[in-house]
Amino acid sequence: MLNVIKILLFVLVNAAGFFVSSVVINLAVMMDVFPKVPQGPDMESFRTLLMAGSLWAWAAAALVSVGYFFVERYTRAWLLLAPLYVPAIYTVCVMLYFNFKPLLEQ
């Protein structure tokens, strides 16, 4: 029974991690900190990095989180929660980069 609970927790955390980048984007829009990227090549790279990149970050974190079943103690929680915090950090970093990119180009 304990293994079923572990597997269920693993699946729920990974399912929630799939939606984390969308939640971060919606929070940024609600707080009015979403970057205003001009049309053109910057917009295309922003879209690609934000949406496709966050999906790849989630997939990599989901693969790493399989280690949850094989380790003990403190590392276990970090591995289990990786699909939640890795895409969130990646999404925030992409938004910060494109928010401050005009300042970096001056």
Side-chain angles (χ1 to χ4, degrees):
M1 184 66 178
L2 186 60
N3 288 336
V4 173
I5 293 172
K6 286 181 184 178
I7 292 171
L8 185 62
L9 182 63
F10 173 78
V11 169
L12 286 174
V13 167
N14 277 296
F18 182 77
F19 298 104
V20 160
S21 61
S22 299
V23 170
V24 170
I25 292 169
N26 284 328
L27 285 173
V29 169
M30 286 174 24
M31 294 187 312
D32 200 28
V33 294
F34 193 76
K36 292 158 184 62
V37 180
Q39 293 292 330
D42 279 347
M43 177 61 87
E44 292 302 316
S45 63
F46 177 65
R47 285 183 193 161
T48 302
L49 286 173
L50 193 62
M51 300 311 293
S54 62
L55 182 64
W56 281 106
W58 170 77
L63 284 176
V64 167
S65 71
V66 172
Y68 160 74
F69 295 107
F70 305 108
V71 297
E72 295 179 8
R73 298 214 158 235
Y74 306 109
T75 312
R76 174 175 260 173
W78 285 103
L79 289 176
L80 177 65
L81 296 176
L84 290 174
Y85 65 80
V86 169
I89 292 171
Y90 176 81
T91 303
V92 168
C93 287
V94 169
M95 287 191 299
L96 282 174
Y97 174 74
F98 280 94
N99 223 355
F100 291 111
K101 188 175 181 187
L103 297 174
L104 296 172
E105 292 176 349
Q106 288 180 359

